[in-house]
């Protein structure tokens, strides 16, 4: 099995560099198979969302569509696919960033009752709590 870095997915999706896009397309379409899938970790999808939002100005709905396709491809071996699907569902609802959803879901999966944050938007997510000023002595 071979892992995929974010930039390979970006080149395949946006097709903005002729040589790199061709290499990414060949690898993903010809070399990734059911018997030899490519590994994609959650951090790669977090980076992918950030790149598509900031560098390519994809809308949230466009990104949701891209992620749904990636999560459905059987030639990809995803790390914690259930967590990634839950993350995508939360992100699709329009509350907070994809990475924030992923952090909260991943931490919860590994036994955290809550994830503390200073991000007011992220604090509204399931399994998140706003860290407020506390009496520090």
């Amino acid at each position: 099995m071979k892992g995929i870095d974010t930039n390979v997915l970006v080149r395949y999706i946006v097709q903005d560099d002729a040589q790199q896009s061709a290499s990414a397309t060949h690898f993903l379409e010809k070399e990734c198979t059911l018997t030899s899938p490519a590994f994609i970790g959650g951090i790669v999808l977090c980076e992918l969302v950030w790149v598509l939002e900031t560098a390519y100005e994809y809308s949230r709905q466009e990104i949701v569509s891209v992620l749904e396709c990636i999560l459905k491809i059987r030639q990809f071996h995803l790390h914690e696919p259930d967590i990634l699907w839950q993350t995508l569902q939360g992100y699709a609802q329009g509350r907070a960033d994809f990475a924030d959803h992923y952090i909260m879901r991943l931490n919860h999966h590994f036994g955290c009752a809550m994830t503390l944050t200073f991000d007011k938007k992220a604090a509204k997510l399931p399994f998140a709590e706003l860290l407020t000023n506390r009496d520090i002595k």
Side-chain angles (χ1 to χ4, degrees), residues 44-56:
V44 168
L45 296 184
C46 289
E47 281 189 334
L48 176 64
V49 170
W50 183 82
V51 169
L52 293 179
E53 286 174 341
T54 59
Y56 296 95

Side-chain angles (χ1 to χ4, degrees), residues 53-73:
E53 286 174 341
T54 59
Y56 296 95
E57 299 180 353
Y58 274 44
S59 70
R60 185 174 293 251
Q61 187 52 49
E62 289 171 317
I63 293 170
V64 167
S65 295
V66 166
L67 293 175
E68 284 176 342
C69 288
I70 290 170
L71 294 179
K72 289 178 183 177
I73 293 173

Side-chain angles (χ1 to χ4, degrees), residues 4-29 56:
I4 298 176
D5 191 14
T6 306
N7 52 35
V8 173
L9 286 176
V10 170
R11 291 296 158 262
Y12 181 72
I13 293 163
V14 299
Q15 295 288 313
D16 64 344
D17 178 292
Q19 188 174 13
Q20 289 184 356
S21 296
S23 293
T25 299
H26 176 80
F27 174 74
L28 293 173
E29 293 183 0
Y56 296 95

